[in-house]
Amino acid sequence: MLNKINTVKDHLMGAKEKRGRYKEDFRREILNSARELFINEGYEKFSMRGLAKKIDYSPTTIYLYFKDKDDLLIAICEEVAEQFLANLSRIRAHPSKPLEALRQAMLYFIEFAFDNPNQYKVFFLTRPNVYGTQEEFMERESMARNSYLEFRKIVQECIGAGKLRRMDIDVLTQVLATATHGLIAITTYHKNFPWADRKVLAITLVDGLLRGFQK
Amino acid sequence: MLNKINTVKDHLMGAKEKRGRYKEDFRREILNSARELFINEGYEKFSMRGLAKKIDYSPTTIYLYFKDKDDLLIAICEEVAEQFLANLSRIRAHPSKPLEALRQAMLYFIEFAFDNPNQYKVFFLTRPNVYGTQEEFMERESMARNSYLEFRKIVQECIGAGKLRRMDIDVLTQVLATATHGLIAITTYHKNFPWADRKVLAITLVDGLLRGFQK
DNA sequence: AAAGATAAATTAAATATGTTAAATAAAATT
DNA sequence: AATTTTATTTAACATATTTAATTTATCTTT
């Protein structure tokens, strides 16, 4: 159940702004509940009707704040990406040893996913076209895109410092990212398989990859 | 629409066997239609109702041959794995250059997935626990498990021949497999992202990985 | 060949999903 | 206080998986 929260300076504002603020806050509250539901119940059990019950409004109300389920999913993705991006930037702020920064970034990527499996599922394993067409993606300002670019910068610095082989920056970035994604995706999605210890797998993968692309 | 096909030696068999054979054949026919529907319409559009319409039976009839949708999905997975395994074994039949065999196996893995995106989706991106619990998986005879073991053998031979670093065989196998999976999964699932050429990515990944784990 | 038993298939229905259109309640404006 | 605008809900549609009850077909036995 949501609490209506606009109280502080209601009397100071015009009604129009009050409306807008209310609408924004409500949207945020729905988003918070949705995220919580995701974390607790998991990706596959999440439903609009379930969310409606949780926030104690009718399902249709959600559609006044989000175009459809995809729209809500994207919003959650963006939140996750924002959080992820913040930590990634912090890692890049240590430019003394670029290769070590890259190593840490990849390991953090894995750790983040292991710690937030449901967010990761929303982000990477929702059905395609959620973020629009190919052309749109890189043009539209989004945390998802920015995360990629941030990771790309880290790789760039390694090449620039002569620590990694000089090659197409996007190819290398994508190879490193997708390989890392693979470990995360399959171990969190296919829990039935008798995997080796995930941390061992993570370190082995990252060190192997970096060794493979080192000069 | 299915054709009832038991004709050849119906009169030679007892009725009980005839029934059994009919049931088996019918199950197989449903499976074939289901696979076809998958390939043509894609994973997300597949439904029991659609399948029922295609085979010109009521939806409930399918439930007489498959416990539920998961059961049918597993059956398709096994078919895919069987096909995959057959080709993998053929690659391993060239033991002269084990590292080249491994390289080819990985590239084949990727190629197979790119050529059969929908089968791949069923196999790797259906929801979890489809194959039972952790313990069951390796005990139960399944094509999925056998494929893993076959790939493991190839890796084993590379280590045995001194071509790869001596390390835990399962860790190495899983790292190579999951990294490869990552490239496949994310490029077939997130088509919206402006990926580099997939073949370039594939070769870069495989060569980089092998270089990273070479002695 | 007819009657009874077994198997196969269907119809009907229960439950759950996302979503839209029409109706109602609440709030703001005049 | 009346009217217009905004917020919310109720009812309904379309589709999904799946179970129970019922009908149809097939086999077995006399």
Side-chain angles (χ1 to χ4, degrees):
Chain A
M1 176 123 66
L2 301 180
N3 352 339
K4 317 291 160 53
I5 46 181
N6 306 50
T7 49
V8 184
K9 34 180 183 172
D10 277 14
H11 61 289
L12 295 174
M13 298 193 297
K16 232 181 224 169
E17 305 160 50
K18 219 156 79 179
R19 277 272 172 70
R21 195 159 77 92
Y22 170 78
K23 201 147 190 182
E24 262 179 48
D25 286 349
F26 199 179
R27 195 187 140 97
R28 172 54 43 91
E29 292 272 344
I30 294 175
L31 216 52
N32 289 343
S33 291
R35 181 169 20 81
E36 204 179 314
L37 211 57
F38 254 96
I39 294 168
N40 293 336
E41 305 291 328
Y43 171 69
E44 21 276 325
K45 281 183 185 168
F46 177 84
S47 74
M48 298 296 266
R49 294 176 116 105
L51 174 58
K53 189 165 279 179
K54 182 183 166 79
I55 63 177
D56 215 41
Y57 280 81
S58 91
T60 39
T61 302
I62 302 171
Y63 287 84
L64 300 169
Y65 298 87
F66 298 92
K67 185 180 158 289
D68 52 22
K69 197 182 179 182
D70 273 356
D71 191 30
L72 198 149
L73 251 39
I74 291 178
I76 296 179
C77 286
E78 283 293 283
E79 278 194 338
V80 176
E82 191 171 0
Q83 189 189 340
F84 177 74
L85 178 58
N87 290 322
L88 208 59
S89 304
R90 217 181 308 144
I91 288 171
R92 198 169 73 88
H94 294 276
S96 53
K97 299 200 168 190
L99 206 62
E100 183 56 28
L102 177 57
R103 196 181 111 95
Q104 274 184 35
M106 291 173 75
L107 288 174
Y108 166 68
F109 183 32
I110 298 173
E111 193 190 355
F112 178 84
F114 285 172
D115 289 345
N116 310 285
N118 284 313
Q119 283 96 319
Y120 194 84
K121 272 185 194 171
V122 196
F123 197 87
F124 281 111
L125 300 175
T126 44
R127 70 168 183 286
N129 304 329
V130 183
Y131 265 104
T133 66
Q134 288 192 10
E135 294 78 31
E136 287 166 8
F137 184 85
M138 284 312 260
E139 288 176 15
R140 182 159 56 158
E141 171 75 14
S142 80
M143 292 299 167
R145 184 201 61 165
N146 293 341
S147 295
Y148 173 74
L149 292 178
E150 186 69 19
F151 184 64
R152 191 178 182 276
K153 276 181 196 165
I154 299 177
V155 177
Q156 184 84 277
E157 278 165 18
C158 288
I159 294 181
K163 298 292 179 187
L164 289 184
R165 282 191 291 182
R166 193 164 297 277
M167 55 193 297
D168 187 295
I169 174 70
D170 279 302
V171 169
L172 182 53
T173 305
Q174 288 170 27
V175 162
L176 294 178
T178 57
T180 311
H181 163 74
L183 175 60
I184 298 161
I186 208 166
T187 54
T188 60
Y189 225 69
H190 272 208
K191 296 224 173 115
N192 43 322
F193 189 88
W195 299 109
D197 182 77
R198 290 203 295 185
K199 286 184 181 172
V200 173
L201 288 175
I203 291 173
T204 306
L205 171 67
V206 171
D207 288 344
L209 274 172
L210 292 183
R211 190 167 181 267
F213 290 106
Q214 236 160 319
K215 267 192 172 167
Chain B
M1 175 124 65
L2 301 180
N3 351 341
K4 318 290 161 55
I5 46 179
N6 308 53
T7 50
V8 184
K9 34 181 184 170
D10 277 14
H11 59 290
L12 296 174
M13 297 192 299
K16 231 180 223 169
E17 304 162 47
K18 221 156 80 179
R19 276 269 174 71
R21 195 157 78 89
Y22 170 78
K23 200 146 191 183
E24 264 179 45
D25 286 349
F26 198 1
R27 195 186 141 97
R28 171 55 44 91
E29 292 271 345
I30 294 176
L31 216 51
N32 288 342
S33 291
R35 180 169 19 83
E36 205 179 313
L37 211 58
F38 253 96
I39 294 169
N40 295 335
E41 304 292 327
Y43 170 69
E44 21 275 324
K45 281 181 185 170
F46 177 85
S47 74
M48 298 297 262
R49 289 160 103 102
L51 175 58
K53 189 166 278 180
K54 181 183 168 76
I55 63 176
D56 214 41
Y57 280 82
S58 91
T60 40
T61 301
I62 303 170
Y63 287 85
L64 300 170
Y65 297 87
F66 297 92
K67 185 179 159 292
D68 52 23
K69 198 182 179 182
D70 273 356
D71 191 30
L72 198 148
L73 252 38
I74 291 178
I76 296 179
C77 286
E78 283 292 285
E79 278 195 338
V80 176
E82 191 170 2
Q83 189 190 339
F84 176 74
L85 178 57
N87 291 321
L88 207 61
S89 304
R90 219 182 306 143
I91 289 171
R92 196 168 73 90
H94 294 277
S96 54
K97 298 198 166 188
L99 206 63
E100 183 56 27
L102 176 57
R103 197 180 111 95
Q104 275 185 34
M106 290 172 76
L107 288 174
Y108 166 70
F109 183 32
I110 298 172
E111 193 190 355
F112 178 85
F114 285 172
D115 290 344
N116 310 285
N118 284 314
Q119 284 96 319
Y120 194 84
K121 271 184 195 170
V122 194
F123 197 87
F124 280 111
L125 300 174
T126 44
R127 72 171 183 284
N129 303 330
V130 183
Y131 266 105
T133 65
Q134 287 192 10
E135 294 78 30
E136 286 165 10
F137 184 85
M138 285 311 260
E139 287 176 17
R140 183 161 54 160
E141 170 75 13
S142 83
M143 293 299 166
R145 183 201 62 166
N146 292 341
S147 295
Y148 172 74
L149 293 177
E150 186 68 21
F151 185 65
R152 192 177 182 276
K153 276 180 196 167
I154 300 178
V155 177
Q156 183 83 277
E157 278 165 17
C158 288
I159 295 182
K163 298 293 179 184
L164 289 183
R165 279 192 288 175
R166 193 163 297 277
M167 56 193 297
D168 186 295
I169 176 68
D170 280 301
V171 169
L172 181 52
T173 305
Q174 288 170 26
V175 162
L176 294 178
T178 57
T180 311
H181 164 73
L183 175 58
I184 298 162
I186 208 166
T187 55
T188 61
Y189 225 68
H190 271 205
K191 294 225 173 111
N192 44 322
F193 190 88
W195 298 109
D197 181 76
R198 288 202 296 183
K199 285 183 182 172
V200 174
L201 288 175
I203 291 173
T204 307
L205 171 67
V206 171
D207 288 344
L209 273 174
L210 291 183
R211 191 168 180 267
F213 290 107
Q214 238 160 321
K215 266 191 173 167

